[in-house]
Amino acid sequence: MKAVAIQAFGGPEGLAVIDLPVPEPGPGQLLVAAEAIGVSGADTLIRSGALAGYGFKEGHIPGSEVAGTVTAVGDGVDASWVGRRVWAFTGTGGGYVEQAVAPLGEVLALPAGLSAVDAVTLGSSGVVAHFGLAHARFTPGESVLVRGAAGSIGIMTVQLAARGGAGAVAVTTSSPERGRRLRGLGATHVLDRSGGGAGDAPAGFDVIIDVVAGPDMPAFFGRLNPNGRLVVVGAVGGQPPADFGSRMMAAFQKSLTFATFSAATVSESGRRAVRAEQFAAAGRGEVRAVVHDVLPLERVVLAHRAMDSGEVFGRIVLAP
């Protein structure tokens, strides 16, 4: 089968399409013939070598979510799964392949009418958006700022905050056109990347969901209301400065809260329940899967170049 491996850390040209034997599912696993593979910001960070300190090595196969049809099952898995259309989470890698292995607990049958492309656009990002807002203790009526709203996580956070009754949903983004599209998804105010540029936006926010992190993150503590909460759910902009906490201490009397959030801290059953509800909501047209482009697996370098350029709105999907 065809697969994509990181042959050299750095730019997208370090990715290469290789041939691998089709894997056999082990006990408790399923083999999925991929129709769609999600491309995420985490994939680009791993490819760049920025996460090498976490054990990622050259030769790694990136990708974490696929959707397609089950072709085989391992011991302990009901054979009735074979032939079913599913979404599957492969872990921190192993997704950029024509045939992917995933544990049964991370596989969810797709409802009729939900495409494989939409499934990998919503599957992980929707869970992060849902539980990121919960981690921030968001309640109806509160104001929310989504920093880095044009990616799949940001887009889902905008939609869920609006559906959840936010008093205002502001976004940071890089262009008026992106702002217009985000308004169509529920945003009420559009800011530039620095958090300025909209005179009618609230001066402060109760919740900031940050997909970017990076060197500019500390400045956004100044946009929090008293008792405001900033939750980092991604770091596509890199690590924040080591002394970022000094900005919070300078605003000590505002009782601000900073947190990080990873879906890895949510129970498997909790992730499954939310994902199933969101897939059903997408089928009813209540939430939208925003797809930037669908590219053949062989054009993975082009996909990562687009991700690195910052031009992607929504999710890029690879199709084997």
Side-chain angles (χ1 to χ4, degrees):
M1 68 174 184
K2 300 294 184 185
V4 173
I6 302 171
Q7 292 196 326
F9 285 139
E13 59 279 354
L15 296 168
V17 178
I18 62 173
D19 288 313
L20 290 177
V22 175
E24 295 206 6
Q29 295 181 329
L30 298 86
L31 184 65
V32 180
E35 299 170 22
I37 302 164
V39 177
S40 72
D43 298 344
T44 65
L45 288 172
I46 293 170
R47 182 219 72 222
S48 73
L51 301 182
Y54 292 89
F56 294 101
K57 299 178 180 179
E58 291 176 345
H60 178 78
I61 296 173
S64 62
E65 60 183 315
V66 305
T69 302
V70 177
T71 56
V73 298
D75 291 344
V77 179
D78 193 322
S80 66
W81 278 99
V82 175
R84 298 178 72 180
R85 295 178 64 254
V86 300
W87 173 94
F89 180 71
T90 62
T92 56
Y96 286 14
V97 294
E98 291 181 316
Q99 300 260 357
V101 170
L104 176 61
E106 297 287 2
V107 174
L108 185 67
L110 296 184
L114 185 69
S115 71
V117 169
D118 285 355
V120 297
T121 300
L122 298 171
S124 290
S125 59
V127 165
V128 172
H130 173 92
F131 286 107
L133 286 166
H135 203 62
R137 305 188 308 279
F138 163 69
T139 58
E142 290 190 312
S143 56
V144 177
L145 170 62
V146 184
R147 182 173 178 238
S152 56
I153 294 174
I155 285 170
M156 278 300 292
T157 304
V158 168
Q159 293 186 78
L160 295 182
R163 288 183 72 202
V169 182
V171 295
T172 68
T173 190
S174 60
S175 72
E177 171 59 18
R178 289 184 170 209
R180 183 191 64 76
R181 295 182 69 181
L182 287 162
R183 284 184 183 275
L185 294 164
T188 57
H189 301 84
V190 177
L191 313 179
D192 61 27
R193 283 180 169 176
S194 69
D200 62 340
F205 298 91
D206 302 307
V207 170
I208 298 177
I209 301 296
D210 189 344
V211 189
V212 181
D216 296 329
M217 187 199 78
F220 284 83
F221 289 126
R223 300 302 300 272
L224 286 171
N225 290 331
N227 298 305
R229 293 87 69 194
L230 188 155
V231 177
V232 174
V233 299
V236 295
Q239 296 292 327
D243 64 347
F244 73 84
S246 63
R247 296 293 290 268
M248 292 184 67
M249 293 302 293
F252 189 88
Q253 292 183 315
K254 292 177 70 176
S255 299
L256 305 181
T257 298
F258 169 81
T260 58
F261 171 74
S262 166
T265 59
V266 179
S267 69
E268 186 179 279
S269 61
R271 295 194 304 268
R272 175 183 292 272
V274 167
R275 188 170 290 120
E277 189 280 328
Q278 290 179 347
F279 282 176
R284 296 189 298 266
E286 296 170 7
V287 296
R288 287 174 51 194
V290 178
V291 180
H292 180 84
D293 203 357
V294 180
L295 297 170
L297 184 65
E298 291 81 1
R299 301 187 73 187
V300 64
V301 170
L302 180 61
H304 274 241
R305 283 177 179 159
M307 292 288 290
D308 286 358
S309 73
E311 68 186 42
V312 175
F313 187 89
R315 170 143 289 189
I316 290 183
V317 176
L318 299 173

